[in-house]
């Protein structure tokens, strides 16, 4: 799945430092990347593509965009994966209620999201992955867990409308056999591509045809692609056995009562008969009439939510991933359970961490109520843009408060951002607009990567200090602010302070404009 075009990233004199971020697990600041590595890895949970892109989405992806930009400024190669949950109950329910094909609904919303991310100058992920294209890798992962005794079957009751095989989908070759350890080694580029591109091996469960792009698309609503290799069908849903993970619960740190309540509220099924534990999460849902499903050695069906992200992390970033991020509402059950799956797949259930830092963005409310699809109190990015609001002003408004803070969206917040944008443009002068030095490019294509700009030498830094001492100082103040848990409000204040000190010459204005663009993603 393609992402979007990368914005221009000016190269600044000197080099930033790796930020510390607030880790939810330890409730402390931790380094956002390993010091002995040249790269930095990030996984952020993406949208379920309906009602995109609302300001809650935008706030989250802008927050992690600050981290990407800080890593680039520190000279790191960024490897960033983001998923699209386009096979999920809420989207299927929306499609059914509106009479749309679920694929068409997802495609339209994903395209809208791409346009909004480009407008908001968000650096694209290295890997932008949809669930459909990950089906073969997910099947391998679930089979691996089942074979290791980390997953079990729950038979379908009569009211479940058990698995059925419909017509043959367009991708007739389906999903082939599963190798015993098909997830691939962390950090192995070839195995990552194999997991992500639908290559399916030969394993004990039978021999299947080689998958291709169409095989994942072969199963429509109620249809199942027919595998060539005579894959056997297994009955029932597959659940993870959380008792196999002694570290389950450490991500959120909630007691069992809170976990059960949130699990029921956020897509779980604690009352499902036949489960070993009420909290055990679904890995593979056996086919039901009217639902999309894919043929597999697990039986026809579709993936559960949490395993999707775990597989993408393993296949793209490898483990340990430096940062796993998302909105605060994903802390439980999603990040708790996807991290548990990552541990099982990596064989580190009681040992090494698979995530360096669990980082969560605050939630956006409207009139004091959390902005959410279920409540319908959404403010859409595209709606603001279509009404004449500049994307740079939307971004500035969301940056004006710390990314971890829950905050309320209001007209006053937007008006203040528009006024700040106007002051910056006036104070930095017309001649500074659109003028910048060297740029870093990348991303925007399939599996592209963005690398940090080369650090400028001591002579160039000295020249910048001599030519534009106040401007160089404001760049360093912005860097220091972002290095402490992505403190965007303090970085904005550094620019405000610079402009409040008096007139600015052209070279100073150009350096500050570059810094605003490179570090904050705001185009003047």
């Amino acid at each position: 799945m393609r992402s979007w075009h990368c914005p221009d990233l000016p190269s600044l004199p000197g080099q930033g430092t790796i930020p510390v971020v607030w880790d939810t697990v330890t409730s402390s600041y931790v380094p956002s990347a390993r010091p002995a590595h040249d790269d930095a890895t990030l996984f952020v949970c993406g949208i379920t593509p309906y009602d995109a892109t609302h300001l809650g989405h935008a706030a989250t992806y802008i927050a992690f965009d600050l981290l990407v930009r800080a890593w680039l400024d520190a000279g790191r190669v960024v490897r960033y994966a983001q998923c699209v949950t386009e096979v999920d109950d809420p989207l299927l329910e929306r499609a059914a209620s509106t009479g749309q094909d679920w694929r068409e609904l997802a495609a339209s919303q994903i395209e809208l999201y791409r346009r909004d991310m480009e407008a908001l100058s968000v650096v694209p992920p290295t890997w932008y992955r949809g669930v459909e294209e990950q089906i073969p890798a997910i099947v391998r992962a679930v089979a691996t867990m089942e074979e290791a005794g980390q997953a079990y079957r729950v038979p379908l009751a009569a009211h479940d409308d058990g698995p059925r095989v419909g017509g043959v989908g367009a991708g007739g070759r389906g999903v082939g056999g599963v190798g015993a350890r098909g997830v691939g080694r962390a950090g192995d580029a070839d195995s990552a591509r194999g997991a992500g591109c639908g290559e399916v091996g030969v394993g004990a469960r039978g021999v299947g045809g080689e998958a291709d792009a169409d095989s994942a698309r072969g199963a429509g609503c109620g249809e199942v692609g027919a595998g060539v290799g005579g894959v056997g069908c297994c009955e029932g849903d597959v659940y993870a056995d959380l008792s196999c993970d002694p570290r389950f619960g450490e991500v959120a740190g909630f007691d069992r009562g809170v976990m059960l309540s949130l699990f029921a509220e956020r897509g779980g099924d604690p009352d499902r008969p036949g489960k070993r534990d009420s909290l055990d999460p679904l890995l593979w849902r056996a086919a039901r009439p009217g639902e999309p499903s894919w043929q597999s050695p697990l039986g026809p069906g579709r993936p559960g939510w949490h395993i999707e992200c775990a597989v993408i992390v393993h296949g793209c970033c490898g483990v340990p991933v430096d940062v796993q991020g998302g909105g605060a509402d994903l802390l439980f059950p999603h990040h708790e359970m996807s991290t548990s799956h990552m541990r099982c797949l990596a064989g580190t259930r009681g040992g090494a961490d698979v995530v360096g830092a669990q980082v969560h963005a605050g939630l956006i409310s409207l009139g004091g109520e959390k902005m959410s699809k279920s409540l319908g109190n959404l403010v859409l990015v595209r709606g603001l843009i279509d009404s004449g609001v500049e994307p740079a002003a939307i971004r500035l408004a969301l940056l004006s408060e710390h990314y971890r803070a829950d905050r309320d969206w209001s007209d006053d917040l937007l008006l203040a951002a528009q006024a700040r944008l106007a002051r910056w443009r006036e104070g930095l002068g017309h001649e500074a607009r659109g003028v910048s030095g060297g740029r870093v490019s990348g991303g925007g294509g399939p599996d592209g990567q963005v690398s940090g700009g080369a650090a400028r030498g001591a002579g160039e830094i000295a020249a910048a200090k001599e030519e534009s001492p106040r401007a160089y100082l404001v760049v360093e103040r912005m860097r220091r602010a972002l290095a402490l848990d992505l403190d965007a409000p303090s970085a904005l204040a550094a620019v405000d302070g610079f402009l409040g000190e008096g007139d600015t010459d052209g070279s100073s204005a150009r350096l500050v404009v570059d810094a605003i663009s490179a570090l904050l993603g705001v185009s003047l």
Side-chain angles (χ1 to χ4, degrees), residues 198-278:
E199 298 174 7
V200 181
V202 177
R205 293 178 179 269
V207 180
E210 181 185 12
D212 60 12
D214 288 334
S215 65
R217 290 191 290 268
C221 288
E223 298 180 344
V224 180
V228 170
V231 177
C233 177
C234 301
E235 294 291 329
D237 299 327
V238 184
Y239 281 84
D241 187 344
L242 293 177
S243 69
C244 294
D245 179 12
R247 298 179 64 180
F248 176 78
E250 72 175 25
V251 174
F254 295 151
D255 63 36
R256 183 172 175 84
V258 171
M259 289 193 290
L260 284 169
S261 176
L262 289 174
F263 189 50
E265 178 186 325
R266 297 174 177 175
D269 56 354
D271 298 325
R272 170 71 189 269
K275 290 170 59 175
R276 295 176 183 173
D277 189 288
S278 296

Side-chain angles (χ1 to χ4, degrees), residues 192-397:
R193 281 193 293 271
C197 297
E199 298 174 7
V200 181
V202 177
R205 293 178 179 269
V207 180
E210 181 185 12
D212 60 12
D214 288 334
S215 65
R217 290 191 290 268
C221 288
E223 298 180 344
V224 180
V228 170
V231 177
C233 177
C234 301
E235 294 291 329
D237 299 327
V238 184
Y239 281 84
D241 187 344
L242 293 177
S243 69
C244 294
D245 179 12
R247 298 179 64 180
F248 176 78
E250 72 175 25
V251 174
F254 295 151
D255 63 36
R256 183 172 175 84
V258 171
M259 289 193 290
L260 284 169
S261 176
L262 289 174
F263 189 50
E265 178 186 325
R266 297 174 177 175
D269 56 354
D271 298 325
R272 170 71 189 269
K275 290 170 59 175
R276 295 176 183 173
D277 189 288
S278 296
L279 288 171
D280 287 348
L282 180 70
L283 294 172
W284 185 259
R285 176 177 167 85
R288 269 76 160 176
E291 295 184 5
S293 63
W294 289 263
Q295 181 66 287
S296 85
L298 302 170
R302 59 184 171 97
W305 177 21
H306 316 297
I307 190 63
E308 297 163 355
C309 291
V311 166
I312 291 172
V313 171
H314 270 274
C316 295
C317 300
V319 296
V321 60
D322 289 318
V323 172
Q324 173 168 261
D329 53 348
L330 295 182
L331 173 59
F332 193 90
H334 185 51
H335 284 170
E336 187 76 65
M337 293 180 173
S338 65
T339 303
S340 177
H341 299 339
M342 281 186 244
R343 282 194 288 262
C344 289
L345 293 172
T348 60
R349 296 189 299 279
D353 290 328
V354 292
V355 177
Q358 301 270 5
V359 180
H360 295 94
L363 303 179
I364 306 296
S365 60
L366 184 66
E369 289 223 53
K370 174 197 164 188
M371 198 176 292
S372 69
K373 298 173 183 178
S374 59
L375 292 176
N377 61 339
L378 301 178
V379 177
L380 300 179
V381 170
R382 186 52 45 181
L384 290 174
I385 293 173
D386 289 347
S387 71
V389 177
E390 285 190 73
I394 299 171
R395 185 167 177 123
L396 267 180

Side-chain angles (χ1 to χ4, degrees), residues 120-154:
L120 293 171
S121 296
V122 172
V123 177
T126 317
W127 300 280
Y128 191 49
R129 292 287 187 255
V131 171
E132 269 200 277
E133 60 191 347
Q134 296 299 305
I135 296 289
I138 293 168
V139 167
R140 289 195 290 271
V142 175
T144 295
M145 291 177 67
E146 191 174 17
E147 289 165 358
Q150 300 161 350
Y152 62 95
R153 296 274 171 170
V154 175

Side-chain angles (χ1 to χ4, degrees), residues 505-520:
D505 60 69
S507 60
S508 294
R510 283 191 292 273
L511 179 54
V512 175
V513 167
D514 277 354
I516 292 170
S517 176
L519 300 177
L520 298 177

